[in-house]
Amino acid sequence: MGRQLTIGNPPIDVELRRSARARRLSLRVSRLDGRVTLTIPKRGSEREAIGFLRERESWLRGHVGAVAPITEVRIGASIPIAGQLVPIHAGQGRRAVLKDGVLLAPATDTGRRVQAFLKLLARDRLAAASDTYAAAVGKPYDTISLRDTRSRWGSCSSRGGLMYSWRLVMAPPAVLDYVAAHECAHLVEMNHSSAFWSVVAGLMPDYAQHRAWLRENGDQLHRVSFDG
């Protein structure tokens, strides 16, 4: 954990980190939570780092302001499901239910109930997509597991175990399908060689646009909070 700094008015919190691998000063704003990190070389000058930070305050404020706010899952909020914003209304019973374009959820423990609904929906859709693409490449997968990962949307183990982020169910269906196609292509090629991408293209010729959607918008799926 680095040292905490503040800059400007209103103040912006900045975490100052030293890194033995850093060769120069670098400033980063996380698109997931808006956290600001200033990294300096192990023997770098802190005074120089603070000057560097002040010179870039205008740039920093622009990027911090561009980070979308976190959506708290509660009655009255709207969340994306299959790429469409869906309002959450109070419903009867203990489970969340999607009906006529509205997500009906309990008024208490709303976040956890909605999350459980999304996980079940994600498992059904990812299993169906994986079945389709595994059959297309002629290679069976072993298992499917769901996690809430931030570093990757999916993975394929050497034994054919497929792992996906359940948050993919909030993305457009074609994006979810792309990740399933990508991981099933690893059943054939356990790498990211040109041969691998040829398999992906054979499964989904327009995969590049869905890959780009994840790069540009995937962080917004992580900005839906179910902890409230």
Side-chain angles (χ1 to χ4, degrees):
M1 192 72 176
R3 192 164 84 80
Q4 295 297 313
L5 305 173
T6 58
I7 182 174
N9 186 24
I12 297 175
D13 293 328
V14 180
E15 182 179 349
L16 182 65
R17 290 182 176 176
R18 290 188 180 273
S19 169
R21 294 185 296 177
R23 295 292 178 264
R24 58 184 176 81
L25 294 165
S26 65
L27 188 60
R28 178 178 180 272
V29 180
S30 170
R31 291 180 63 184
L32 293 179
D33 54 17
R35 185 176 301 172
V36 181
T37 305
L38 175 60
T39 302
I40 66 175
K42 186 177 181 180
R43 299 185 183 279
S45 165
E46 187 170 313
R47 185 175 181 178
E48 181 182 349
I50 292 173
F52 174 86
L53 186 60
R54 287 174 177 162
E55 289 175 1
R56 286 157 179 76
E57 181 178 349
S58 178
W59 175 92
L60 180 59
R61 289 192 180 278
H63 279 70
V64 169
V67 175
I70 290 176
T71 298
E72 299 285 349
V73 174
R74 54 178 174 75
I75 302 302
S78 295
I79 62 170
I81 300 178
Q84 300 294 321
L85 273 181
V86 175
I88 304 172
H89 293 177
Q92 303 296 320
R94 300 176 59 186
R95 296 182 178 181
V97 178
L98 186 61
K99 185 177 181 180
D100 298 328
V102 173
L103 188 59
L104 302 174
T108 58
D109 205 13
T110 306
R112 191 167 68 88
R113 300 297 184 181
V114 169
Q115 185 182 81
F117 166 81
L118 291 177
K119 286 182 177 180
L120 286 174
L121 187 61
R123 176 169 286 279
D124 288 346
R125 294 185 176 179
L126 285 163
S130 299
D131 288 348
T132 297
Y133 293 120
V137 299
K139 296 281 187 180
Y141 62 85
D142 183 29
T143 59
I144 289 180
S145 62
L146 301 183
R147 298 179 188 172
D148 192 5
T149 54
R150 289 179 179 255
S151 60
R152 59 178 62 187
W153 295 105
S155 65
C156 176
S157 73
S158 58
R159 295 185 176 182
L162 303 179
M163 184 282 296
Y164 298 107
S165 167
W166 57 263
R167 288 179 184 263
L168 284 166
V169 78
M170 295 189 282
V175 173
L176 180 149
D177 285 348
Y178 156 66
V179 177
H182 182 117
E183 301 313 330
C184 286
H186 280 309
L187 296 171
V188 181
E189 296 284 346
M190 283 296 293
N191 50 57
H192 285 100
S193 64
S194 58
F196 164 79
W197 289 110
S198 292
V199 175
V200 176
L203 295 172
M204 181 175 282
D206 60 348
Y207 76 87
Q209 71 183 73
H210 309 308
R211 188 182 183 209
W213 189 97
L214 275 177
R215 285 199 305 266
E216 296 169 8
N217 304 287
D219 60 293
Q220 301 306 318
L221 306 184
H222 289 291
R223 297 190 66 73
V224 179
S225 173
F226 300 85
D227 298 331

